[in-house]
Amino acid sequence: MEGVSYQRFPKIKVREVKDDFMKFELRDTDASIANALRRIMIAEVPTIAIDLVEIEVNSSVLNDEFISHRLGLVPLTSERAMSMRFSRDCDACDGDGQCEYCSVEFYLRVKCLSDQTLDVTSKDLLSSDHTVVPVDYSDASSSFDNTPNKGIIIVKLRRGQELRLRAIARKGIGKDHAKWSPAATVTFMYEPEIYINEDMMESLTLEEKTELVESSPTKVFGIDPENKQVIVVDPEAYTYDDEVLKKAEAMGKPGVVEIHAKEDSFIFTVETTGAVKASQLVLNAIEVLKQKLDAVRLSDDTVEADDQFGELGAHMRGG
């Protein structure tokens, strides 16, 4: 095995990027790295979320625990989360989790003084740090009634009802609780390779070609209006359902279409909660993955693995 290298150099090509959405290609790697990146984005990239609530007055219809749970699920802007300390590791407050290095304070003081129902929303939360505030969804295009977005509703108050509380937000990861997950969804699929056997396709009538195209539940194929040939319209719409292949076999033309998955090429779709931008989520996930790999390479366990597994253990450590 001397002189053999298993090192690969993955590449990323960004296709589309918005604040809360990103689509990119990951090439020249395998499914283990792709899935590791996906799992880290969901569960191991840190964000900031409310973790402790001290309620002074609550005369609303919801009990204290219900309100505390709703506050914990409000996404907070978390650009500085990577540089913050975990409360359990903070030496400035001895792990108490209530200092400027590992926490952010929020206050909420609302009382309904009119006969109209008062919505208490995330915009009523006052932060001690202007960089850590509830995510603003006012630019979202999903407002059906064209009314201005007032934030995430926490509770509704009637005349005379009041809510006063203090909340502490801390750094955490989705593996500990879903409220710290920055990802709404992260998916990847193998990039498909689709081949059409032109010679066999010529033997099909226009009606048979139409049946073959329409057998796909998604619009992967189409018929060229000029030469009436079957063409690939959108290969990424293929969902690996094999319906086209089954139809070709039923028509007695197996091999007229061949579809293979590229085992070293993946298409990622990332949507975030707004706590961090989609592009930053991907970068943070790569940084976390690098830290985990460095920890494996430098730990004493891998040195012991050299004795147990010989050359393989040394290779895993980068030696």
Side-chain angles (χ1 to χ4, degrees):
M1 293 178 64
E2 188 174 353
V4 177
S5 174
Y6 299 94
Q7 189 173 11
R8 305 183 76 174
F9 299 93
K11 299 180 182 65
I12 288 180
K13 179 183 178 182
V14 177
R15 290 190 177 182
E16 182 182 353
V17 61
K18 300 176 183 176
D19 282 351
D20 60 352
F21 176 84
M22 184 172 177
K23 190 171 187 178
F24 65 92
E25 301 171 11
L26 177 65
R27 298 181 180 276
D28 299 334
T29 188
D30 55 32
S32 64
I33 296 298
N35 196 45
L37 188 63
R38 182 189 70 87
R39 290 171 65 96
I40 288 173
M41 279 192 272
I42 293 172
E44 296 194 55
V45 171
T47 62
I48 303 168
I50 291 175
D51 194 40
L52 175 67
V53 179
E54 298 174 352
I55 295 181
E56 300 174 24
V57 178
N58 176 22
S59 55
S60 72
V61 295
L62 299 184
N63 59 43
D64 295 356
E65 291 81 6
F66 205 124
I67 291 175
S68 299
H69 182 261
R70 290 179 67 81
L71 287 169
L73 295 176
V74 173
L76 305 176
T77 53
S78 303
E79 283 80 5
R80 56 168 290 210
M82 290 290 284
S83 60
M84 279 181 67
R85 303 173 186 175
F86 285 102
S87 58
R88 60 179 177 269
D89 302 327
C90 184
D91 52 7
C93 61
D94 295 326
D96 187 43
Q98 297 194 40
C99 73
E100 60 181 313
Y101 300 105
C102 67
S103 67
V104 178
E105 276 190 280
F106 286 87
Y107 292 92
L108 189 149
R109 295 181 178 88
V110 182
K111 185 174 183 178
C112 182
L113 301 174
S114 68
D115 290 332
Q116 188 174 359
T117 301
L118 177 65
D119 293 342
V120 181
T121 73
S122 55
K123 290 194 174 183
D124 294 312
L125 285 167
L126 304 178
S127 174
S128 63
D129 185 341
H130 70 278
T131 64
V132 181
V133 295
V135 174
D136 185 3
Y137 294 105
S138 58
D139 294 333
S141 58
S142 59
S143 180
F144 296 104
D145 54 3
N146 294 322
T147 57
N149 190 297
K150 297 179 180 178
I152 300 169
I153 294 180
I154 298 168
V155 67
K156 296 188 176 187
L157 302 180
R158 296 292 288 175
R159 176 185 280 275
Q161 292 181 337
E162 184 179 5
L163 181 61
R164 291 206 312 266
L165 59 85
R166 170 178 173 265
I168 301 294
R170 295 168 178 154
K171 174 181 177 177
I173 58 175
K175 185 185 287 186
D176 295 331
H177 194 287
K179 67 184 178 183
W180 278 300
S181 177
T185 180
V186 180
T187 63
F188 72 84
M189 63 172 285
Y190 288 100
E191 184 177 358
E193 281 186 307
I194 302 176
Y195 301 96
I196 296 176
N197 189 319
E198 300 293 348
D199 295 333
M200 293 183 68
M201 194 64 74
E202 285 290 341
S203 65
L204 299 179
T205 64
L206 181 59
E207 184 178 348
E208 288 175 324
K209 291 177 182 178
T210 303
E211 289 180 11
L212 187 66
V213 168
E214 292 179 350
S215 67
S216 176
T218 54
K219 192 170 179 59
V220 179
F221 303 94
I223 296 180
D224 192 316
E226 295 182 2
N227 55 26
K228 306 301 180 183
Q229 295 295 319
V230 175
I231 58 174
V232 179
V233 176
D234 184 6
E236 291 172 22
Y238 184 64
T239 57
Y240 294 95
D241 47 66
D242 291 344
E243 291 298 326
V244 173
L245 304 181
K246 293 174 184 175
K247 184 64 176 178
E249 289 183 8
M251 296 169 66
K253 300 289 183 178
V256 68
V257 175
E258 294 183 7
I259 304 175
H260 305 285
K262 294 183 182 178
E263 295 189 355
D264 64 346
S265 182
F266 309 90
I267 301 167
F268 271 79
T269 302
V270 179
E271 295 181 36
T272 75
T273 62
V276 294
K277 292 183 178 181
S279 56
Q280 192 61 48
L281 173 58
V282 175
L283 293 174
N284 289 354
I286 294 172
E287 182 62 30
V288 171
L289 180 58
K290 287 168 60 180
Q291 292 172 4
K292 293 168 79 72
L293 292 174
D294 288 341
V296 170
R297 276 201 293 263
L298 298 175
S299 68
D300 293 334
D301 293 340
T302 52
V303 177
E304 294 173 4
D306 287 356
D307 299 330
Q308 186 175 357
F309 298 107
E311 190 173 350
L312 178 60
H315 169 69
M316 290 174 62
R317 191 162 50 88

